[in-house]
Amino acid sequence: MKIAFTAAGTTWDSMIDPRFGRTEFFIVYNDETQETTVFDNSAVKNEAHGAGTATAQKIFEIKPDVLITGNGPGENAATALKQLDMKIFVNAHNMTIKEAYDNYKNGKLQPL
Amino acid sequence: MINNPPLKIGIASGKGGTGKTLLSTNLAAYLSQTQPTLLVDLDVEEPDDFLFVRGTTQSITDQYKMIPVWDEKACTLCGICSKTCKFHAVIQLGSIILVFKELCHSCYACSELCPAEALPMQKHKMGEIKTIISGNLTFIESRLNIGEEQAVPLIHQTHELAEKTHGNIPLQIFDCPPGTSCPVVASTRNVDFVVLVTEPTPFGLNDLKLAVETMKEIHKPVGVVINRYGIGNNEVEMYCQEAGIPVLAKIPYDRRIAELYSNGQLVYDKIEDMQTSLDNIIKAIQNVVRKN
Amino acid sequence: MSSERINEIVILSGKGGTGKTSLAAAFSVLAGTEAVIADCDVDAANMHLLLKPDFARSMEFYSGELAVINQDICIRCGKCADVCRFNAIPFMENQYTISPLDCEGCGYCEKVCPSFAIVMKERKSGKVYTSTIKTEGIMVHARLDIAAENSGKLVAKVKKDAKDHANAGNKKFIIVDGSPGIGCPVVSSLSGANYVVLVTEPTMSGLHDLIRVYEVIKRFRIKAGCIINKADVNEAQSREIKEFLMSEQIDHLADIPYDSAFSSAMIEGKTVVEIQSPLKAQLEEIWKQIKLITNKNNTI
């Protein structure tokens, strides 16, 4: 299963980026292969408008099963993400990626 | 007199909360006592003038912008549309094309560059324009739907509608959106004179300077009305003097004005000095415009 | 490292003129070097008038795009002007030129130009500053060019820089003077916030705008409190606002009476907590309360 985090940095100790559309990075962890991949989102982050929908398109290409983020996607991005068969968890923005993952495993994250 | 073109006055300010609505509504209502007057609320994101004008609704017209609509059957999923759209209003998720109408700027690029003609443009309601008659006062309110991001097209359409339906009213007042960016520029483009409302404080002065710069950019004659006169210092007056900008009126700070305003009431018929101020404003503007 | 988290507090009001910036600046002075300040009200940036930043470091800021025509390659075919829906390419003095005030940056003209004479360039829209202010604390702020527009991107940049400074300096708070309205810049002001302080006034439009902006806050599930400024100007309207706060479980932080101290302080280039006024004690109390609430929220 692929779990994507919006991340302010590139390591497990980085904080969750509270933003969806303008997140700095995506960290994607595959818990079957234990493989971690980092996606740079800076191209989208620099868009004046429409960052939410542009990032949603990117997420579609990554195709994670679970998305863990902070404040949650805005209205437009949420509409786009509905097209994907994916579980979304929010309010993880005071956690590191590792803490967010542990909380997710223990069922302590809030679903959207 | 009859052959004179109508006088169009824009009321603007560098930021919200300075008294733009107070001045627009009172000026319009007061002037309509003696001659036909038009008031247009162009602050389409937060129209407030309606709180002060009571009359009968003459018409409500829906306003549209053009947006692309996906024709699934015609689409070949080539992806040109999503790559073309600079605003990410059209995105492709696998075999689905999604259009986000609030993000769309109606540039037609995706629609006309689509090789399969699978994104025809269609009407989408973005707001409405209401016309209200109150005696000699004609009031046009323009309101953008919540969630819509593009104020400018609606402002243009409001100008057009006002011109078409009530263009011959001799006195026309346009309450403009606050700020210094595109919506203000669009609102003030075809007025003869812009009144900038400010406060006699450092914040007021700072915002006024920005507004003056913007008006210079589009070559509009301006005058200043200092609202809540007496609460601050004389820096705004000194600035106006140095920059050669006429101060049209000073409306004294008066707690009664604040109270009446907070209840949605006009003040010109209740506060004595207000009529003098309004008279001074309109005379000064007529003088400037006549000279030009 | 992970126990001390930064509290991000955003001061917001749906409309202008409620005293939002005056209050945000007062809290910034009370917070002193514990906080980094982010002025995201870039349309009408005023906070610098009270906090006296030194404009020490600046960076040009680009947002959106603008079409540029290379007149040497242009064959004057007029295709660009035909497709432009914004009338931004007038034909003047035997040349097609771009009117920057009208160009929306959609790029359609670039796509149809047969001689590749049009390129889209990034549009310079202003400057972002990092300053030391009178409290010795750090403030990040911006200045827009004339007729340039605020954007979610600019607000995100100001907040990001503020956050970097807060991290580097082990600060407890980021105080954000938020953008007006309910559009993209507000959403950007809010993301990552731990607490929102709403500032309103008891007028019909005050409540109307408060309700609209709270819709946005609710969508992002952020805890909020509200200060009713000039509360005594209309008691009935104040009561109505309080009923709304109750029904939405928004903390009612304080009623502040109308007081000329705000403008007398402003004239001296000071916040209201730096002059002799009964408001000083009240604002200290409110700031203490905000700190208490945010600390509680943040220790889960």
Side-chain angles (χ1 to χ4, degrees), chain C residues 129-164:
Chain C
Y129 299 92
T130 304
S131 297
T132 304
I133 55 172
K134 61 172 152 189
T135 58
E136 303 291 315
I138 289 173
M139 168 169 167
V140 183
H141 48 130
R143 181 168 287 175
L144 282 176
D145 292 342
I146 289 302
E149 231 174 334
N150 189 11
S151 63
K153 182 188 172 190
L154 178 53
V155 169
K157 166 76 183 154
V158 169
K159 283 186 51 167
K160 166 81 167 60
D161 286 2
K163 200 158 205 171
D164 288 348

Side-chain angles (χ1 to χ4, degrees), chain C residues 94-150:
Chain C
N94 206 28
Q95 274 190 355
Y96 287 96
T97 41
I98 304 287
S99 157
L101 273 181
D102 296 296
C103 175
E104 300 243 343
C106 72
Y108 195 177
C109 55
E110 179 196 29
K111 290 257 173 2
V112 298
C113 176
S115 61
F116 304 101
I118 301 181
V119 284
M120 300 304 291
K121 291 221 167 112
E122 278 192 300
R123 188 193 278 259
K124 181 176 169 291
S125 60
K127 276 184 174 168
V128 178
Y129 299 92
T130 304
S131 297
T132 304
I133 55 172
K134 61 172 152 189
T135 58
E136 303 291 315
I138 289 173
M139 168 169 167
V140 183
H141 48 130
R143 181 168 287 175
L144 282 176
D145 292 342
I146 289 302
E149 231 174 334
N150 189 11

Side-chain angles (χ1 to χ4, degrees), chain B residues 103-118:
Chain B
L103 295 176
C104 175
H105 287 226
S106 308
C107 76
Y108 284 69
C110 63
S111 178
E112 293 175 359
L113 295 174
C114 173
E117 295 181 11

Side-chain angles (χ1 to χ4, degrees), chain B residues 80-92:
Chain B
I80 289 177
C81 53
S82 77
K83 283 189 201 91
T84 300
C85 183
K86 296 269 187 192
F87 311 109
H88 303 291
V90 182
I91 63 172
Q92 182 176 3

Side-chain angles (χ1 to χ4, degrees), chain B residues 225-246:
Chain B
V225 168
I226 307 177
N227 189 24
R228 301 193 191 103
Y229 187 71
I231 63 164
N233 58 10
N234 63 354
E235 278 178 25
V236 166
E237 282 169 274
M238 280 162 58
Y239 162 76
C240 288
Q241 200 166 19
E242 274 166 38
I245 301 167

Side-chain angles (χ1 to χ4, degrees), chain B residues 29-65:
Chain B
Y30 173 60
L31 293 172
S32 74
Q33 304 288 306
T34 49
Q35 57 193 306
T37 306
L38 173 69
L39 171 66
V40 184
D41 194 350
L42 291 173
D43 189 358
V44 298
E45 287 179 74
E46 315 254 273
D48 274 343
D49 290 357
F50 77 96
L51 295 169
F52 301 89
V53 183
R54 281 156 202 91
T56 47
T57 304
Q58 193 192 45
S59 66
I60 300 175
T61 50
D62 290 344
Q63 296 300 310
Y64 302 94
K65 69 175 188 182

Side-chain angles (χ1 to χ4, degrees), chain C:
Chain C
M1 175 79 195
S2 59
S3 60
E4 275 282 327
R5 296 273 155 83
I6 303 163
N7 271 310
E8 200 171 306
I9 299 161
V10 181
I11 324 286
L12 267 194
S13 80
K15 71 186 280 282
T18 59
K20 165 181 72 76
T21 299
S22 291
L23 288 170
F27 295 142
S28 302
V29 167
L30 292 174
T33 50
E34 279 191 333
V36 171
I37 316 304
D39 185 357
C40 295
D41 188 357
V42 279
D43 288 297
N46 277 328
M47 227 182 174
H48 61 281
L49 298 168
L50 301 182
L51 296 178
K52 309 285 173 192
D54 60 4
F55 292 84
R57 271 165 294 164
S58 71
M59 216 181 90
E60 302 221 315
F61 181 80
Y62 294 83
S63 183
E65 294 183 350
L66 178 70
V68 178
I69 301 178
N70 182 340
Q71 299 295 347
D72 297 337
I73 327 179
C74 174
I75 54 167
R76 319 270 188 274
C77 70
K79 284 213 169 92
C80 54
D82 288 346
V83 300
C84 179
R85 291 310 197 281
F86 310 106
N87 299 321
I89 318 183
F91 188 65
M92 289 184 310
E93 291 163 16
N94 206 28
Q95 274 190 355
Y96 287 96
T97 41
I98 304 287
S99 157
L101 273 181
D102 296 296
C103 175
E104 300 243 343
C106 72
Y108 195 177
C109 55
E110 179 196 29
K111 290 257 173 2
V112 298
C113 176
S115 61
F116 304 101
I118 301 181
V119 284
M120 300 304 291
K121 291 221 167 112
E122 278 192 300
R123 188 193 278 259
K124 181 176 169 291
S125 60
K127 276 184 174 168
V128 178
Y129 299 92
T130 304
S131 297
T132 304
I133 55 172
K134 61 172 152 189
T135 58
E136 303 291 315
I138 289 173
M139 168 169 167
V140 183
H141 48 130
R143 181 168 287 175
L144 282 176
D145 292 342
I146 289 302
E149 231 174 334
N150 189 11
S151 63
K153 182 188 172 190
L154 178 53
V155 169
K157 166 76 183 154
V158 169
K159 283 186 51 167
K160 166 81 167 60
D161 286 2
K163 200 158 205 171
D164 288 348
H165 285 290
N167 273 324
N170 271 323
K171 304 295 182 193
K172 286 193 186 142
F173 301 99
I174 297 174
I175 296 176
V176 181
D177 188 8
S179 315
I182 52 169
C184 184
V186 183
V187 172
S188 212
S189 303
L190 281 172
S191 73
N194 301 88
Y195 195 65
V196 178
V197 177
L198 292 157
V199 182
T200 188
E201 57 178 22
T203 60
M204 285 166 86
S205 48
L207 177 58
H208 176 245
D209 296 341
L210 179 70
I211 294 170
R212 269 165 72 111
V213 77
Y214 187 67
E215 283 299 309
V216 184
I217 296 168
K218 220 158 71 173
R219 202 164 69 220
F220 289 105
R221 294 164 294 273
I222 305 168
K223 277 284 291 170
C226 181
I227 296 172
I228 306 176
N229 198 10
K230 307 171 201 164
D232 54 334
V233 166
N234 190 328
E235 312 256 339
Q237 291 281 352
S238 278
R239 267 196 304 278
E240 234 179 281
I241 293 175
K242 272 173 238 178
E243 275 163 29
F244 169 72
L245 300 181
M246 283 265 270
S247 69
E248 293 287 346
Q249 290 173 307
I250 302 167
D251 303 324
H252 175 222
L253 295 169
D255 278 352
I256 298 180
Y258 174 81
D259 198 316
S260 57
F262 277 108
S263 18
S264 18
M266 192 194 288
I267 284 158
E268 294 176 43
K270 287 180 176 165
T271 63
V272 75
V273 296
E274 293 167 275
I275 64 165
Q276 286 305 323
S277 142
L279 287 180
K280 185 177 178 201
Q282 192 186 7
L283 289 190
E284 281 169 349
E285 201 43 52
I286 302 171
W287 176 239
K288 219 187 273 171
Q289 208 183 331
I290 293 171
K291 274 166 75 164
L292 213 71
I293 296 171
T294 51
N295 281 333
K296 215 190 294 167
N297 284 349
N298 211 353
T299 47
I300 341 159

Side-chain angles (χ1 to χ4, degrees), chain A residues 7-69:
Chain A
T10 57
T11 68
W12 278 91
D13 292 324
S14 306
M15 297 298 290
I16 291 277
D17 198 319
R19 302 164 302 179
F20 173 75
R22 294 184 194 282
T23 182
E24 301 280 329
F25 300 98
F26 281 105
I27 292 181
V28 180
Y29 178 63
N30 187 329
D31 62 0
E32 282 143 33
T33 61
Q34 299 195 346
E35 216 178 338
T36 308
T37 323
V38 178
F39 294 85
D40 186 351
N41 198 43
S42 55
V44 171
K45 203 192 81 198
N46 284 328
E47 294 287 342
H49 302 284
T53 51
T55 300
Q57 184 156 6
K58 193 153 183 178
I59 277 288
F60 179 85
E61 284 150 22
I62 297 172
K63 283 196 174 47
D65 304 282
V66 174
L67 172 70
I68 296 173
T69 183

